[in-house]
Each structure stands twice: as C-alpha cells, then as structure tokens.
Amino acid sequence: QVQLVESGGGLVQPGGSLRLSCVASGTIFSITVMGWYRQAPGKQQRELVAHITSGGGTSYADSVKGRFTISRDNAKNMVYLQMNSLKSEDTAVYYCYADQSIAGRSYRYWGQGTQVTVSS
C-alpha cells in the first residue's frame, strides 16, 4: 500500500501562485508515474492536470500549460505542482496520485485532496 498526503492548498488572488506538495509513504517501490488531478466545484469528474514519470517526463493539460510546473524528488518520494498565474477557473480540489507497477500490474493510489481557491 502507498499512502499519499498533499499540502500547500489555500486561498489566493487571481494572478497569484501556490505550490502543492505530495509525499508518498508505505510500500513505495516501483512507483512509475506521479501526478495531479483536480475536481472543480459542481463537476463530477476529475481532470488530469499534470503527471511526471520516474524518468522525469512530463505532460500537462492544455488549460495549465505555461502556468503550472510539475516536478518530482524521487529520493524524498515527493511530487510538487508549482502553480503560477492562477485563474478563478483553477479553483478545485487537487488530488495527488501515484501509479505502482508490481508483477506486470499497475495500481493507482490517491491522496485525500487539498483545496485551492482562486478568488479576489
């Protein structure tokens, strides 16, 4: 089992910045991809924001390209999301996730989420 704990959410004005952090603990071997989803108010589905592979390859949603940066510290089992130029539409609960590969099967783990509110 892998446990994920997010931190760094909060209230920020439009145009501001926040940095989210997520630390993994437990049976943390063979974690391949780590990333962030978000779920906006009133929406049932989570949206993939960004992910990063163990080798450092990254991918972003079009809506956050050029504003958000994902990074990873494999030694500390952490993943970060630097969010700049925040907009009201970035308001959501942000969830960290990690994919673990064991014997050819992939398992996904989720954090509890951290609220990000962009408002003046």
Side-chain angles (χ1 to χ4, degrees), residues 33-36 48-53 57-60 70 97:
V33 178
M34 297 186 76
W36 297 88
L48 177 61
V49 177
H51 73 242
I52 184 168
T53 69
T58 59
S59 180
Y60 297 90
I70 190 169
Y97 77 94

Side-chain angles (χ1 to χ4, degrees), residues 80-113:
Y80 307 95
L81 186 68
Q82 178 66 43
M83 305 185 295
N84 298 329
S85 302
L86 283 161
K87 305 175 182 179
S88 58
E89 51 262 45
D90 295 317
T91 295
V93 178
Y94 285 70
Y95 296 91
C96 172
Y97 77 94
D99 290 338
Q100 185 177 46
S101 179
I102 301 176
R105 300 186 67 175
S106 184
Y107 301 85
R108 176 161 290 185
Y109 300 93
W110 294 93
Q112 292 288 88

